[in-house]
Amino acid sequence: MQLDHLAKITGSFDATETMPLLFIGHGNPMNAIEQNEFSKGWGEAGKTLPKPNAILCISAHWETKGTFITAMDKPKTIHDFGGFPQELFDVQYPAPGNPALAKETKELLTHTEAKLDEHWGLDHGCWSVVKNMYPDADIPVIQLSMDYTKTPQWHYELAKQLSSLRNKGVLIIGSGNMVHNLRNINWHAPDKGYDWADEANLKLKDLIIKNEHQQLMGYHSLGTEMTLAIPTPEHYMPLLYILGLKKESEQVNFFNDKTIMGSISMTSLKIN
């Protein structure tokens, strides 16, 4: 698969084998520049994949009223955080965009009236991960926003409409965290999770393996530990996009499987 596979008339990529899917637990923005077990795990994951024609990322950090798709030629690197070293703010990830792919994605999403966006760019939920996977920034990247007014079921069903992109060499990445409770972070336990966080992480993994997607969409009915693990939905929803795209016969492989700082799960998964 090469970048020159774009068809000149339709703007679409040539047919490829079905691309894998990724959900990445992205955690602390500093993972973008630190060589640690998580950033190394992302880099290793990138090496196991066929080189994509393009990347479509659903990030926890782009919530909107309505559905939007980045459609600029050169998306900016967004530093959507505060209180970190200047070194992190200096990072640029100059991957190109792909307006043709953005338009094609919009046309696929008949579930809603998606709009093309010329203002957003690549937020840290996207570039902090992709930078470690593809440091040369030579693969076009677009982002799909998440409509915060919609239900988990709605997001799950919307994702299914993206499935044909997998056969055009597009790597679809959901970037968030399965367990994400910033109010309960334990700064004194950088390598440990609370018992409830570990229990929630295990329960989620078990349901993912068993393809129990209805239960995963109804996560608030799964017990107290799940309510603590997912106090707000934005970091969890990207997982539902990836599960919505999963074929029942496909296998799930977990990596970076660790709860840290009490209440953050870095657990990531590859589906193929």
Side-chain angles (χ1 to χ4, degrees), residues 46-77:
K47 293 174 185 177
T48 69
L49 304 172
K51 187 172 183 179
N53 286 328
I55 294 167
L56 186 157
C57 183
I58 302 100
S59 165
H61 295 279
W62 195 22
E63 288 189 287
T64 53
K65 187 174 183 179
T67 301
F68 296 84
I69 305 157
T70 56
M72 65 287 289
D73 286 311
K74 296 180 179 180
K76 62 187 176 184
T77 303

Short mmCIF file of all heavy atoms in Angstrom, two decimals, residues 46-77:
data_model
loop_
_atom_site.label_atom_id
_atom_site.label_comp_id
_atom_site.label_asym_id
_atom_site.label_seq_id
_atom_site.Cartn_x
_atom_site.Cartn_y
_atom_site.Cartn_z
N GLY A 46 2.74 0.10 15.91
CA GLY A 46 2.84 0.62 14.55
C GLY A 46 3.65 -0.27 13.63
O GLY A 46 3.34 -0.43 12.45
N LYS A 47 4.69 -0.91 14.20
CA LYS A 47 5.55 -1.77 13.38
C LYS A 47 4.86 -3.07 12.98
O LYS A 47 5.29 -3.73 12.04
CB LYS A 47 6.83 -2.10 14.15
CG LYS A 47 7.73 -0.89 14.37
CD LYS A 47 8.91 -1.24 15.27
CE LYS A 47 9.75 -0.01 15.58
NZ LYS A 47 10.86 -0.33 16.52
N THR A 48 3.80 -3.46 13.71
CA THR A 48 3.11 -4.72 13.38
C THR A 48 2.04 -4.54 12.31
O THR A 48 1.46 -5.54 11.86
CB THR A 48 2.42 -5.30 14.63
OG1 THR A 48 1.31 -4.46 15.01
CG2 THR A 48 3.39 -5.42 15.79
N LEU A 49 1.77 -3.30 11.91
CA LEU A 49 0.67 -3.03 10.98
C LEU A 49 1.17 -2.83 9.56
O LEU A 49 2.30 -2.36 9.35
CB LEU A 49 -0.07 -1.75 11.41
CG LEU A 49 -0.61 -1.70 12.84
CD1 LEU A 49 -1.11 -0.31 13.14
CD2 LEU A 49 -1.72 -2.71 13.01
N PRO A 50 0.35 -3.14 8.56
CA PRO A 50 0.67 -2.69 7.21
C PRO A 50 0.70 -1.16 7.20
O PRO A 50 -0.07 -0.52 7.93
CB PRO A 50 -0.51 -3.21 6.37
CG PRO A 50 -1.23 -4.19 7.23
CD PRO A 50 -0.96 -3.82 8.64
N LYS A 51 1.60 -0.56 6.44
CA LYS A 51 1.65 0.90 6.42
C LYS A 51 0.34 1.45 5.86
O LYS A 51 -0.06 1.12 4.75
CB LYS A 51 2.83 1.40 5.60
CG LYS A 51 2.99 2.92 5.70
CD LYS A 51 4.26 3.42 5.06
CE LYS A 51 4.39 4.93 5.27
NZ LYS A 51 5.64 5.46 4.67
N PRO A 52 -0.33 2.30 6.62
CA PRO A 52 -1.63 2.79 6.16
C PRO A 52 -1.50 3.79 5.01
O PRO A 52 -0.50 4.49 4.87
CB PRO A 52 -2.20 3.51 7.40
CG PRO A 52 -1.32 3.12 8.54
CD PRO A 52 0.01 2.79 7.96
N ASN A 53 -2.55 3.87 4.20
CA ASN A 53 -2.68 4.95 3.24
C ASN A 53 -3.04 6.25 3.95
O ASN A 53 -2.68 7.34 3.50
CB ASN A 53 -3.76 4.64 2.20
CG ASN A 53 -3.30 3.60 1.20
OD1 ASN A 53 -2.13 3.52 0.86
ND2 ASN A 53 -4.23 2.80 0.72
N ALA A 54 -3.78 6.13 5.04
CA ALA A 54 -4.20 7.29 5.82
C ALA A 54 -4.65 6.80 7.19
O ALA A 54 -4.85 5.59 7.40
CB ALA A 54 -5.32 8.06 5.13
N ILE A 55 -4.81 7.73 8.11
CA ILE A 55 -5.28 7.43 9.46
C ILE A 55 -6.52 8.28 9.74
O ILE A 55 -6.55 9.47 9.44
CB ILE A 55 -4.20 7.75 10.51
CG1 ILE A 55 -3.01 6.80 10.34
CG2 ILE A 55 -4.76 7.66 11.94
CD1 ILE A 55 -1.77 7.22 11.12
N LEU A 56 -7.54 7.64 10.29
CA LEU A 56 -8.71 8.35 10.81
C LEU A 56 -8.72 8.14 12.32
O LEU A 56 -8.75 7.01 12.78
CB LEU A 56 -10.00 7.83 10.18
CG LEU A 56 -11.29 8.59 10.51
CD1 LEU A 56 -12.34 8.36 9.43
CD2 LEU A 56 -11.89 8.19 11.86
N CYS A 57 -8.70 9.24 13.07
CA CYS A 57 -8.62 9.15 14.53
C CYS A 57 -9.87 9.73 15.17
O CYS A 57 -10.33 10.82 14.79
CB CYS A 57 -7.39 9.89 15.02
SG CYS A 57 -7.13 9.77 16.82
N ILE A 58 -10.42 8.99 16.13
CA ILE A 58 -11.49 9.49 16.99
C ILE A 58 -10.88 9.71 18.35
O ILE A 58 -10.50 8.76 19.04
CB ILE A 58 -12.67 8.49 17.07
CG1 ILE A 58 -13.23 8.18 15.68
CG2 ILE A 58 -13.77 9.05 17.98
CD1 ILE A 58 -12.76 6.87 15.10
N SER A 59 -10.74 10.97 18.74
CA SER A 59 -10.04 11.34 19.97
C SER A 59 -11.02 11.80 21.04
O SER A 59 -11.99 12.51 20.74
CB SER A 59 -9.03 12.46 19.69
OG SER A 59 -8.58 13.07 20.89
N ALA A 60 -10.71 11.45 22.28
CA ALA A 60 -11.50 11.91 23.42
C ALA A 60 -11.53 13.43 23.53
O ALA A 60 -12.41 14.00 24.19
CB ALA A 60 -10.93 11.33 24.71
N HIS A 61 -10.59 14.10 22.87
CA HIS A 61 -10.42 15.53 23.08
C HIS A 61 -11.05 16.39 21.99
O HIS A 61 -10.78 17.61 21.94
CB HIS A 61 -8.93 15.85 23.24
CG HIS A 61 -8.37 15.24 24.48
ND1 HIS A 61 -8.52 15.80 25.73
CD2 HIS A 61 -7.70 14.07 24.69
CE1 HIS A 61 -7.96 15.02 26.64
NE2 HIS A 61 -7.46 13.97 26.03
N TRP A 62 -11.89 15.78 21.16
CA TRP A 62 -12.65 16.59 20.19
C TRP A 62 -14.13 16.23 20.31
O TRP A 62 -14.63 15.38 19.60
CB TRP A 62 -12.16 16.41 18.76
CG TRP A 62 -12.68 17.49 17.85
CD1 TRP A 62 -13.14 18.72 18.20
CD2 TRP A 62 -12.78 17.41 16.41
NE1 TRP A 62 -13.53 19.44 17.09
CE2 TRP A 62 -13.30 18.66 15.98
CE3 TRP A 62 -12.47 16.43 15.48
CZ2 TRP A 62 -13.53 18.94 14.63
CZ3 TRP A 62 -12.70 16.72 14.14
CH2 TRP A 62 -13.22 17.95 13.71
N GLU A 63 -14.78 16.87 21.25
CA GLU A 63 -16.22 16.73 21.43
C GLU A 63 -16.92 17.96 20.86
O GLU A 63 -16.48 19.10 21.09
CB GLU A 63 -16.57 16.63 22.91
CG GLU A 63 -16.19 15.33 23.57
CD GLU A 63 -16.78 15.26 24.96
OE1 GLU A 63 -16.29 15.97 25.86
OE2 GLU A 63 -17.75 14.50 25.14
N THR A 64 -18.00 17.75 20.14
CA THR A 64 -18.70 18.83 19.47
C THR A 64 -20.21 18.58 19.53
O THR A 64 -20.65 17.46 19.81
CB THR A 64 -18.29 18.91 17.98
OG1 THR A 64 -18.47 17.61 17.38
CG2 THR A 64 -16.85 19.33 17.81
N LYS A 65 -20.97 19.62 19.27
CA LYS A 65 -22.40 19.46 19.05
C LYS A 65 -22.59 19.28 17.56
O LYS A 65 -22.43 20.21 16.78
CB LYS A 65 -23.18 20.68 19.56
CG LYS A 65 -24.69 20.48 19.51
CD LYS A 65 -25.43 21.64 20.14
CE LYS A 65 -26.94 21.38 20.13
NZ LYS A 65 -27.67 22.51 20.77
N GLY A 66 -22.90 18.07 17.15
CA GLY A 66 -22.85 17.69 15.75
C GLY A 66 -21.60 16.89 15.47
O GLY A 66 -20.77 16.67 16.37
N THR A 67 -21.45 16.43 14.25
CA THR A 67 -20.32 15.59 13.85
C THR A 67 -19.50 16.31 12.81
O THR A 67 -20.05 16.79 11.80
CB THR A 67 -20.83 14.25 13.30
OG1 THR A 67 -21.60 13.58 14.30
CG2 THR A 67 -19.67 13.34 12.89
N PHE A 68 -18.19 16.37 13.03
CA PHE A 68 -17.29 17.11 12.14
C PHE A 68 -16.10 16.25 11.76
O PHE A 68 -15.69 15.37 12.51
CB PHE A 68 -16.82 18.40 12.82
CG PHE A 68 -17.93 19.38 13.10
CD1 PHE A 68 -18.69 19.26 14.26
CD2 PHE A 68 -18.23 20.39 12.20
CE1 PHE A 68 -19.73 20.14 14.52
CE2 PHE A 68 -19.27 21.28 12.46
CZ PHE A 68 -20.02 21.16 13.62
N ILE A 69 -15.53 16.55 10.59
CA ILE A 69 -14.37 15.83 10.07
C ILE A 69 -13.35 16.86 9.61
O ILE A 69 -13.69 17.78 8.85
CB ILE A 69 -14.76 14.92 8.89
CG1 ILE A 69 -15.89 13.98 9.27
CG2 ILE A 69 -13.55 14.14 8.39
CD1 ILE A 69 -16.68 13.45 8.09
N THR A 70 -12.11 16.75 10.07
CA THR A 70 -11.09 17.69 9.63
C THR A 70 -10.83 17.51 8.13
O THR A 70 -10.67 16.39 7.65
CB THR A 70 -9.77 17.50 10.41
OG1 THR A 70 -9.33 16.14 10.29
CG2 THR A 70 -9.97 17.86 11.88
N ALA A 71 -10.80 18.64 7.41
CA ALA A 71 -10.75 18.56 5.95
C ALA A 71 -9.71 19.50 5.35
O ALA A 71 -9.79 19.84 4.18
CB ALA A 71 -12.13 18.87 5.37
N MET A 72 -8.73 19.91 6.15
CA MET A 72 -7.70 20.80 5.65
C MET A 72 -6.51 20.02 5.09
O MET A 72 -6.31 18.85 5.42
CB MET A 72 -7.24 21.77 6.74
CG MET A 72 -6.55 21.12 7.92
SD MET A 72 -7.66 20.19 9.04
CE MET A 72 -8.55 21.52 9.83
N ASP A 73 -5.73 20.68 4.23
CA ASP A 73 -4.54 20.03 3.67
C ASP A 73 -3.45 19.85 4.71
O ASP A 73 -2.72 18.86 4.68
CB ASP A 73 -3.99 20.87 2.51
CG ASP A 73 -4.83 20.78 1.25
OD1 ASP A 73 -5.16 19.65 0.85
OD2 ASP A 73 -5.18 21.83 0.69
N LYS A 74 -3.32 20.85 5.61
CA LYS A 74 -2.24 20.83 6.59
C LYS A 74 -2.82 21.08 7.98
O LYS A 74 -2.87 22.24 8.44
CB LYS A 74 -1.19 21.89 6.24
CG LYS A 74 -0.49 21.64 4.91
CD LYS A 74 0.54 22.72 4.61
CE LYS A 74 1.25 22.45 3.29
NZ LYS A 74 2.26 23.52 2.98
N PRO A 75 -3.26 20.04 8.67
CA PRO A 75 -3.82 20.24 10.01
C PRO A 75 -2.77 20.73 11.00
O PRO A 75 -1.63 20.26 11.00
CB PRO A 75 -4.33 18.85 10.40
CG PRO A 75 -3.57 17.89 9.53
CD PRO A 75 -3.27 18.62 8.26
N LYS A 76 -3.15 21.69 11.83
CA LYS A 76 -2.22 22.20 12.83
C LYS A 76 -2.10 21.23 13.99
O LYS A 76 -2.99 20.41 14.24
CB LYS A 76 -2.69 23.57 13.33
CG LYS A 76 -4.04 23.53 14.02
CD LYS A 76 -4.52 24.94 14.35
CE LYS A 76 -5.93 24.90 14.95
NZ LYS A 76 -6.48 26.24 15.20
N THR A 77 -1.00 21.33 14.71
CA THR A 77 -0.78 20.56 15.93
C THR A 77 -1.36 21.36 17.10
O THR A 77 -0.89 22.46 17.39
CB THR A 77 0.71 20.31 16.17
OG1 THR A 77 1.27 19.65 15.02
CG2 THR A 77 0.94 19.45 17.40
#
